[in-house]
Amino acid sequence: MTITPPLRKFIATVGAPFADESLRGYLGRALSVTAVRNQATLLKLADASKPNAVALATTLTDESEIERIAALIGCTPGDIRSRTYKTGEIAHSGSEAIDFFGTPVRLHFRETRYRRVSPRALDIAQYHRANWELRPIAYDPETGERLLGICPACDRKLGWLRADVPTWCDKCDVDLRDFPQPISRAEDEEAYAFVVGLVDPDPAKKEAARRLLPDDWSGFSNGDLFETAVALASGLTLDPAQQAKNAQGRSKRPEQWENLAPDLLAAAGRAIIGGDNGFSALAQRYRDDMEKRPLHYGRRKELGPLANITYDKHIEPRIRSLLGALIEKDMQTTCRNYALRKGPDADGAMLAIDALAKTFGVRRSVLQRLAESGLIPVARAAGAIRSPVRMAVRDVAPLIEQIKNAIGENEAAGMLGLPLSVLPSLTDRGLIERLEGAVRGLVPGCCGYTKSSVEALMVKIWSATRPNQIKCRSIAVAARSIGPGETPWAAVISAIVAGDVVVHDTGAQRRNIRFSLAVEDTAAFVAGVKKHLHGTAAPPLPLWIAQSTAAEILQVNVAFLSRLANMRPDLLPQQGPGYTPYPASDVAALAARYIFVPEIGRRAGMHPRRVVSWLRTENVLPAVSLQENRDFAYDRSAVEPLLLQAISETAAKESLLTEAPQTIRTSTHFSWNVSRDSRSG
């Protein structure tokens, strides 16, 4: 048989707790009639394993411990259980929460470490009210007195380590009732009672608060409504002249909680229960400080933190939507297009970027670029480095139609399939039109071209093409015969448009010049292009060039250049930004040092396969080899003399053949040589 020892009980007890008494306050008051002075000892006497009495309201969950404590102090387990706070999480924000007498509120709202009291309320009844633990309630709802958190005698914060007498300081035992605090009552008592009633421990007061709710708000919980009221009131505690770190007006500093006076909570409560008029009254309180916000324009200047309340993640999403609609409706009474208030500047139509974007149906980023371009006047806050800007409708409106015909230089180069460096030369030749005036501010880099002129040039080029021929070669390859260096694309296009060269359409899906055009007669092509080179200088290369331009300079294809850059970064480092990774100087230096097989074959009239064997017979070996027995590069200083000699000898032989009489023997011999060269080349 097991003998269970009887539960311990105090001889003297204080009876059941008050309806709105906190757990820690009740346990402390229960000790006031015993010899025990602190709650930690009380827990030990009840065989409770919780060592930290400060966190007792959220950690006391064991039913047997609750029963032993109740037996010890002479109350029912339900009296204690109803004063503990179950912990959880707010679904829409993920924030920690507690069940405060049936109302879920954020854990952040509860003061867990220190004690706050109302001396006047303690004079009425000597117990600690549970709602004094909620930070947003800075004034006692019953007396209107500001809560006292620091002992006026010892200047230390009131705590819970020894709170056996609720009216005393736990550090110096001074009677706190001797230090009454200032009183502040809300003029709108009904609205204030609504806010504090949402979290009141008394179910009757909760029910009274809910009866005040309009239909639009009746579907939300007390916790969501209390969170919204605190958010609406918090922005009014901030100094409007200072730049707030939190756009919604929330702060973690204790000063903000202390500044939440009853009239501010009442204004927030009236915004919920008072319909459109109640919300307009709150918005007007924010507008009263409008001129004190020098760093803002438009909606944020008018409404301050209230303008961004819809971004507050702690507010229930459906309430955020409801608040957004109320703000939009209220803004219609004071502003044009929901962005600027009416006033002396209304006729000037100086609108913020958001309003301009909405009015003209243009992306905000485009108008932001225009504002930063300096091409039209803008209005900014004085002395502010970063602030909202306004632009006049009369300056922006004419540009909106032009933007449809404006493209940036990157887009123009992409349409043509040409390097950026070629576009100025095309403009100089009258082939495309450069953007002029303020419209340049609408495109990236404030430099661009008219879309119609680029499209017209493309039409001219494709109109000049002929059907594809079997023996055609890519125009990019044929252009290598024009000469060393970058391909003079401006002259090539000019020759195509003028009809001085014949080009064919390869039928490629990617319709740009370098990939979609081909040439049948390279010699005629070069001759036609050279007509348009006369008197024109090649445009200077930019600091960084793209892969295709680098391939043109080295007279290789893009695939070879890619292998060279990846396998020999020491020869061709990729250091630049985006699509222009190669320094033009490095590519030029590489072309001056090495000569590649395609250039040798083209200039010598040899097939690339013959180039390697020919140079081997001349005792010239590759200086670079990317793959086994292929992808060769040679020292230009060693190859150039041999190449010039071979070109000279070939020219001399061809001249002798042209001078020989046209006999059957010479004609046959020449044809055989040509055929042999074509097979080997």
Side-chain angles (χ1 to χ4, degrees), residues 23-168:
L23 176 61
R24 290 182 297 185
Y26 176 57
L27 295 180
R29 188 166 62 87
L31 295 179
S32 64
V33 295
T34 71
V36 178
R37 300 300 304 274
N38 60 69
Q39 296 182 14
T41 304
L42 179 147
L43 296 176
K44 290 181 180 179
L45 291 173
D47 295 328
S49 60
K50 308 300 180 185
N52 188 357
V54 173
L56 193 63
T58 55
T59 59
L60 185 59
T61 57
D62 188 281
E63 286 295 329
S64 61
E65 292 180 351
I66 292 175
E67 291 176 0
R68 291 195 294 271
I69 294 173
L72 180 63
I73 63 177
C75 69
T76 67
D79 291 333
I80 294 178
R81 191 183 304 110
S82 62
R83 280 156 180 76
T84 60
Y85 307 135
K86 294 181 180 180
T87 58
E89 186 179 272
I90 302 294
H92 62 266
S93 66
S95 303
E96 292 182 272
I98 59 172
D99 186 347
F100 187 81
F101 291 88
T103 301
V105 297
R106 266 198 299 150
L107 181 61
H108 176 63
F109 284 162
R110 180 172 174 251
E111 178 55 66
T112 59
R113 186 175 180 182
Y114 301 109
R115 183 164 55 113
R116 298 187 306 163
V117 300
S118 166
R120 287 183 171 86
L122 287 176
D123 197 36
I124 297 172
Q126 292 74 50
Y127 70 95
H128 186 271
R129 280 67 163 171
N131 56 18
W132 292 348
E133 293 183 349
L134 296 179
R135 290 169 173 167
I137 300 179
Y139 289 75
D140 177 60
E142 181 183 5
T143 63
E145 183 180 30
R146 188 174 64 191
L147 295 180
L148 178 65
I150 298 177
C151 175
C154 65
D155 201 29
R156 287 185 289 180
K157 289 188 175 182
L158 303 178
W160 293 98
L161 295 179
R162 190 182 59 77
D164 53 318
V165 181
T167 58
W168 288 0

Side-chain angles (χ1 to χ4, degrees), residues 104-377:
V105 297
R106 266 198 299 150
L107 181 61
H108 176 63
F109 284 162
R110 180 172 174 251
E111 178 55 66
T112 59
R113 186 175 180 182
Y114 301 109
R115 183 164 55 113
R116 298 187 306 163
V117 300
S118 166
R120 287 183 171 86
L122 287 176
D123 197 36
I124 297 172
Q126 292 74 50
Y127 70 95
H128 186 271
R129 280 67 163 171
N131 56 18
W132 292 348
E133 293 183 349
L134 296 179
R135 290 169 173 167
I137 300 179
Y139 289 75
D140 177 60
E142 181 183 5
T143 63
E145 183 180 30
R146 188 174 64 191
L147 295 180
L148 178 65
I150 298 177
C151 175
C154 65
D155 201 29
R156 287 185 289 180
K157 289 188 175 182
L158 303 178
W160 293 98
L161 295 179
R162 190 182 59 77
D164 53 318
V165 181
T167 58
W168 288 0
C169 169
D170 62 308
K171 309 293 191 314
C172 66
D173 288 346
V174 70
D175 194 332
L176 299 174
R177 291 174 293 181
D178 296 335
F179 301 94
Q181 299 299 301
I183 293 178
S184 176
R185 293 192 179 277
E187 293 184 6
D188 190 347
E189 294 183 359
E190 182 184 50
Y192 180 61
F194 161 75
V195 175
V196 297
L198 292 170
V199 291
D200 197 285
D202 187 351
K205 293 184 178 179
K206 285 190 177 73
E207 184 60 31
R210 294 201 64 84
R211 285 198 295 268
L212 297 174
L213 288 171
D215 292 339
D216 292 343
W217 293 88
S218 60
F220 302 110
S221 69
N222 284 17
D224 290 333
L225 295 170
F226 183 71
E227 180 78 55
T228 304
V230 172
L232 293 173
S234 294
L236 294 171
T237 66
L238 302 180
D239 183 357
Q242 299 296 323
Q243 184 74 10
K245 294 183 179 179
N246 186 295
Q248 290 83 45
R250 300 291 193 114
S251 172
K252 294 183 179 180
R253 302 181 64 180
E255 292 84 356
Q256 186 173 51
W257 304 119
E258 295 170 2
N259 291 334
L260 279 175
D263 66 318
L264 300 187
L265 290 177
R270 183 55 62 185
I272 296 175
I273 66 175
D276 294 343
N277 292 335
F279 190 85
S280 296
L282 176 67
Q284 186 57 47
R285 294 196 64 156
Y286 279 95
R287 284 193 181 91
D288 290 341
D289 295 329
M290 181 168 57
E291 300 305 328
K292 299 178 183 178
R293 301 186 185 104
L295 301 181
H296 299 284
Y297 281 106
R299 182 177 304 200
R300 183 60 197 266
K301 184 176 182 65
E302 276 199 56
L303 300 181
L306 183 61
N308 295 324
I309 199 72
T310 54
Y311 300 105
D312 193 328
K313 70 173 185 176
H314 297 297
I315 299 178
E316 207 273 350
R318 291 177 299 157
I319 294 182
R320 276 184 268 164
S321 299
L322 182 57
L323 291 174
L326 289 170
I327 291 173
E328 293 290 341
K329 189 173 183 179
D330 180 76
M331 286 294 293
Q332 294 183 50
T333 64
T334 61
C335 71
R336 178 196 297 108
N337 293 329
Y338 306 81
L340 281 178
R341 64 190 179 92
K342 295 178 180 178
D345 60 347
D347 294 335
M350 295 288 290
L351 299 184
I353 289 178
D354 287 337
L356 290 169
K358 185 175 181 180
T359 301
F360 294 111
V362 181
R363 292 195 308 272
R364 188 184 186 282
S365 59
V366 174
L367 294 172
Q368 183 69 41
R369 189 184 301 127
L370 176 63
E372 295 172 353
S373 70
L375 294 171
I376 68 171

